Amino acid sequence: MNIAICPGSFDPVTMGHIDIITRAANMFDKLIVVVMNNAAKKCSFTPYERVEMIKKCVGDHKNIVVDCYDGLLAEYAAEKGANAIIKGLRAMSDFEYEFQMALANKKLNPKVETLFLTTAEQNMYLSSSMVKQIASMGGDISGFVPAVILDDIIDRIGK
Ligand code: PNS
């Protein structure tokens, strides 16, 4: 079975993430979306809350599993027997950081390949931090996140 992992902090998950997740799910037998800790980010939602929000968005997809893990991605991939790590690439500005992580993960777990999917054009500018900033100022985020999690985000972050 071809298993891929789609890792991220997903704080919160956006339309851009969902696009990458659903496209990746069409390419593999099983896709594990895993909520992880990014040491450089301070999160607004707990890992459990982030998992629940993603589940609400991808519940219809039978080959998508949502999980969280507090450790190294390379170790998690080995534990799950994954062949691939899927990441979305927006602009060139993502590239250096993603390239560095892909090389580090390859060193730690040579059995897993990192594959990059280019973001859909309409999501080029979209990020979780942008969504949070707009929500915190009372702006309309309905075009940026799935409708099923809109209230979760506004209740936590909105004005
Ligand atoms: O959505 P993000 O914040 O860009 O995702 C980054 C994430 C969480 C995938 C990355 O920080 C990560 O892999 N964290 C787990 C710890 C780890 O394995 N660190 C080494 C990566 S080289």
Side-chain angles (χ1 to χ4, degrees):
M1 196 198 278
N2 277 324
I3 301 173
I5 305 226
C6 187
S9 36
F10 303 114
D11 187 59
V13 69
T14 67
M15 296 288 209
H17 295 128
I18 298 298
D19 172 58
I20 298 291
I21 289 168
T22 51
R23 283 160 57 200
N26 289 335
M27 297 164 59
F28 290 87
D29 299 316
K30 180 176 172 182
L31 181 76
I32 307 173
V33 181
V34 61
V35 171
M36 303 198 86
N37 184 37
N38 180 338
K41 291 182 182 169
K42 193 180 167 294
C43 288
S44 304
F45 297 89
T46 66
Y48 177 77
E49 288 168 334
R50 286 177 267 158
V51 165
E52 289 306 305
M53 283 193 284
I54 299 167
K55 281 184 179 170
K56 281 189 198 178
C57 303
V58 300
D60 294 345
H61 293 259
K62 297 283 171 272
N63 68 333
I64 300 180
V65 172
V66 189
D67 193 12
C68 62
Y69 186 73
D70 186 16
L72 284 173
L73 174 57
E75 284 175 6
Y76 182 81
E79 207 176 278
K80 298 293 172 186
N83 314 96
I85 293 168
I86 306 290
K87 300 291 309 254
L89 265 191
R90 286 167 301 188
M92 279 306 284
S93 52
D94 282 346
F95 186 75
E96 203 172 324
Y97 166 68
E98 294 294 348
F99 193 65
Q100 192 182 16
M101 279 203 295
L103 290 177
N105 284 325
K106 185 77 181 166
K107 188 91 179 159
L108 293 170
N109 179 353
K111 288 191 178 152
V112 73
E113 297 289 346
T114 298
L115 305 179
F116 295 106
L117 293 186
T118 46
T119 191
E121 214 178 326
Q122 69 271 21
N123 298 324
M124 280 284 288
Y125 59 89
L126 187 52
S127 69
S128 299
S129 53
M130 195 192 79
V131 166
K132 287 190 283 186
Q133 192 178 17
I134 294 171
S136 73
M137 294 175 177
D140 179 10
I141 55 164
S142 61
F144 307 141
V145 298
V148 281
I149 59 165
L150 197 54
D151 287 347
D152 296 323
I153 300 169
I154 292 169
D155 288 351
R156 175 66 48 86
I157 292 164
K159 250 187 176 171

